[in-house]
C-alpha cells in the first residue's frame, strides 16, 4: 500500500509538479513492502513525443510526429534523427514504409474541425524529399500499406461517406496503382467503429494472399470485444476467425515470415488526456493459435498505454509507442517510441 501524501511532507516539500508528487509517494514506501517491479530489461527507448514508428531496415526507423528518420546502432540505440518534412507542414498521424525504406506512405494530421483520425494520403520519396498526393481528404483514408514485395501497388482503407464527408467513396479496402493512380475496390467494408478506432489496423500476409481486418465495434454503450476477419484476396471469401480479444480496438501486423501475428489492443480515447481502459501487445502463432502476451510496460508506478507495434525486418524485435498512465485518475502522459528486443 502506498503511504499518504501527507506522510511524505519531509520528502515532498517544495515539489509541485506531478513527477515530484509521484517520486515523493514512492519514497515513503514501507520497508516491508516489495519494491516496484523492474521494467523489462529488453526495452530500449528510441525517442520522445513519437506516437508511431515503422522499421523497414535493420538500422533504420521512421517515426511520427513530426516525421523523422532515426538511425540505430548495433545495440538498437538511437544514433541521430532527421526531420523529413518542412516546418509548418501538418505532421502525419499514420506512416508506412516500403520494404527498402526508400518510400513512405502517410496520412496527414486531421485539421480542425475535421472529426476523427483520417485525411489525405501521400507518398514521400525519402531520398529526394518529393511527395505527391495520392488521395485527397474526401477519401477519408485511415491507413495504407504497400503490397508485400512491391512499391508500385498500395492497399488503403477508406471510411467512405461519413456524415461530414458526403462526397466520399464507398467505404472499404482499395488497391491503388502508383503508376497510373487508378484504384479498384477490393472489399467493401464499413468499420462498425468508424474513425473512433483511430487507425484501421489492417495488414496483408507476406505472400500477398490474405487481408486481415480488425473488426472493431462502436465503443460507446455496450462495448463488444474485437475480432479478426480474414479476406482471401484470390477467392474473395471472408471468414471471421475464432480468436477473441479484450476491449476495445485491435491493431494487427504479420511477422516477416507470416508465421506469427503481432497484435495490439487499446481502448477508446488513447490520444485524449485520460482513458478508462488498458492496452495489451502480444503474439499469436498463426498455425496453432497459441498466444503470448509481451511485457511492454514502460511505467512501473502504474501502467502504460502501449500502442501500434510493428516488427523489425528480421522478426526478432518490435517497435511501439508508449505513454505513462497515472492511477487511479487515468491521466495519460506524453508518448515516446520504444523497442522491445528479443521477442523471438
Amino acid at each position: 500500500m502506498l503511504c499518504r501524501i501527507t506522510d511524505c511532507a519531509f520528502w515532498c516539500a517544495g515539489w509541485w509538479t506531478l513527477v515530484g508528487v509521484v517520486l515523493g509517494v514512492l519514497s515513503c514506501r514501507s520497508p516491508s513492502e516489495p519494491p516496484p517491479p523492474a521494467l523489462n530489461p529488453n526495452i530500449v527507448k528510441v525517442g520522445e513525443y513519437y506516437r508511431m514508428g515503422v522499421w523497414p531496415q535493420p538500422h533504420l526507423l521512421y517515426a511520427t510526429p513530426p516525421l523523422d528518420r532515426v538511425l540505430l546502432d548495433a545495440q538498437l540505440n538511437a544514433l541521430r534523427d532527421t526531420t523529413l518534412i518542412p516546418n509548418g507542414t501538418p505532421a502525419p498521424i499514420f506512416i508506412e514504409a516500403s520494404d527498402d525504406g526508400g518510400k513512405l506512405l502517410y496520412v496527414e494530421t486531421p485539421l480542425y474541425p475535421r472529426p476523427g483520425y483520417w485525411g489525405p494520403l501521400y507518398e514521400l520519396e525519402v531520398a529526394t524529399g518529393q511527395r505527391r498526393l495520392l488521395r485527397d481528404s474526401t477519401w477519408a483514408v485511415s491507413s495504407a500499406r504497400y503490397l508485400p514485395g512491391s512499391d508500385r501497388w498500395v492497399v488503403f482503407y477508406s471510411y467512405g461517406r461519413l456524415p461530414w464527408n458526403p462526397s466520399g467513396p464507398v467505404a472499404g479496402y482499395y488497391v491503388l496503382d502508383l503508376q497510373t493512380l487508378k484504384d479498384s475496390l477490393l472489399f467493401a467494408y464499413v468499420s462498425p467503429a468508424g474513425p473512433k478506432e483511430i487507425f484501421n489496423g489492417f495488414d496483408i500476409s507476406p505472400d500477398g494472399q490474405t487481408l486481415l481486418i480488425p473488426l472493431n465495434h462502436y465503443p460507446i454503450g455496450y462495448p463488444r470485444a474485437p475480432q479478426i476477419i480474414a479476406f482471401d484476396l484470390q477467392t474473395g471469401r471472408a471468414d471471421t476467425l475464432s480468436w477473441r480479444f479484450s476491449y476495445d480496438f485491435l491493431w494487427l501486423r504479420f511477422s516477416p515470415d507470416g508465421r506469427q501475428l503481432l497484435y495490439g489492443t487499446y481502448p477508446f480515447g488513447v490520444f485524449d488526456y485520460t482513458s478508462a481502459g488498458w492496452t495489451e501487445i502480444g503474439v499469436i502463432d498463426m498455425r496453432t493459435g497459441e498466444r503470448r502476451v509481451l511485457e511492454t510496460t514502460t511505467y512501473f508506478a502504474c501502467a502504460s498505454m502501449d500502442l501500434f507495434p510493428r516488427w523489425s525486418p528480421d522478426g526478432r524485435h518490435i517497435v511501439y509507442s508508449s505513454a505513462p498512465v497515472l492511477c487511479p485518475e487515468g491521466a495519460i502522459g506524453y508518448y515516446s517510441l520504444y523497442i522491445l528486443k528479443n521477442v523471438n
Side-chain angles (χ1 to χ4, degrees):
M1 174 182 292
L2 295 177
C3 63
R4 297 190 306 272
I5 299 292
T6 52
D7 295 335
C8 299
F10 175 78
W11 297 102
C12 302
W15 292 83
W16 297 103
T17 65
L18 176 61
V19 173
V21 171
V22 172
L23 290 175
V25 170
L26 294 177
S27 70
C28 296
R29 189 178 296 273
S30 167
S32 63
E33 293 180 22
L39 296 179
N40 189 334
N42 286 322
I43 294 176
V44 177
K45 188 173 183 179
V46 175
E48 296 184 337
Y49 307 114
Y50 294 129
R51 290 185 174 185
M52 179 174 286
V54 61
W55 197 344
Q57 292 295 309
H59 302 291
L60 172 66
L61 284 172
Y62 294 105
T64 188
L67 179 53
D68 288 357
R69 176 174 52 201
V70 181
L71 301 182
L72 305 174
D73 65 16
Q75 288 72 44
L76 304 182
N77 297 302
L79 286 174
R80 63 180 182 274
D81 58 77
T82 305
T83 299
L84 300 177
I85 58 176
N87 290 333
T89 303
I93 52 173
F94 174 90
I95 55 172
E96 185 60 84
S98 61
D99 291 341
D100 63 1
K103 296 180 180 179
L104 294 174
L105 298 170
Y106 68 87
V107 178
E108 198 173 71
T109 303
L111 300 176
Y112 181 84
R114 186 198 308 161
Y117 291 88
W118 56 269
L121 175 64
Y122 288 89
E123 182 182 50
L124 176 71
E125 187 174 315
V126 176
T128 64
Q130 296 296 313
R131 71 168 187 165
R132 60 172 175 163
L133 178 65
L134 302 180
R135 288 296 178 265
D136 65 25
S137 60
T138 63
W139 280 77
V141 176
S142 167
S143 48
R145 82 178 313 290
Y146 291 96
L147 201 64
S150 171
D151 62 1
R152 172 177 174 176
W153 301 94
V154 166
V155 176
F156 67 89
Y157 179 72
S158 168
Y159 287 118
R161 299 185 186 100
L162 299 167
W164 49 84
N165 186 47
S167 60
V170 173
Y173 298 90
Y174 290 79
V175 60
L176 173 65
D177 184 342
L178 294 179
Q179 290 187 3
T180 65
L181 290 186
K182 294 182 178 180
D183 62 69
S184 59
L185 182 64
L186 284 175
F187 181 46
Y189 175 77
V190 178
S191 168
K196 290 188 179 297
E197 65 189 2
I198 303 181
F199 303 114
N200 187 270
F202 77 91
D203 198 26
I204 304 171
S205 59
D207 62 7
Q209 300 296 307
T210 304
L211 172 68
L212 282 191
I213 300 169
L215 175 54
N216 294 324
H217 298 281
Y218 194 76
I220 309 301
Y222 297 94
R224 296 169 55 191
Q227 295 172 272
I228 297 176
I229 297 173
F231 179 73
D232 191 307
L233 292 170
Q234 298 298 314
T235 67
R237 177 177 174 176
D239 294 307
T240 302
L241 304 184
S242 60
W243 299 331
R244 298 284 178 167
F245 299 88
S246 58
Y247 306 121
D248 292 319
F249 302 136
L250 184 62
W251 163 278
L252 306 170
R253 282 298 180 270
F254 278 101
S255 62
D257 61 10
R259 297 177 181 177
Q260 295 178 301
L261 182 65
L262 180 65
Y263 72 88
T265 62
Y266 60 99
F268 175 67
V270 293
F271 285 163
D272 295 336
Y273 295 108
T274 61
S275 179
W278 309 106
T279 58
E280 179 180 288
I281 292 177
V283 174
I284 297 175
D285 186 295
M286 292 296 295
R287 184 180 62 86
T288 66
E290 182 180 356
R291 188 175 309 193
R292 175 166 50 105
V293 178
L294 303 179
E295 297 179 12
T296 57
T297 302
T298 59
Y299 183 61
F300 68 79
C302 179
S304 57
M305 286 288 173
D306 303 334
L307 304 178
F308 313 127
R310 281 188 169 109
W311 295 98
S312 63
D314 59 7
R316 292 183 56 202
H317 322 293
I318 66 169
V319 61
Y320 64 102
S321 63
S322 180
V325 179
L326 182 66
C327 293
E329 295 86 351
I332 303 174
Y334 63 80
Y335 284 89
S336 297
L337 201 64
Y338 294 85
I339 288 173
L340 175 60
K341 300 190 293 185
N342 302 323
V343 170
N344 288 318

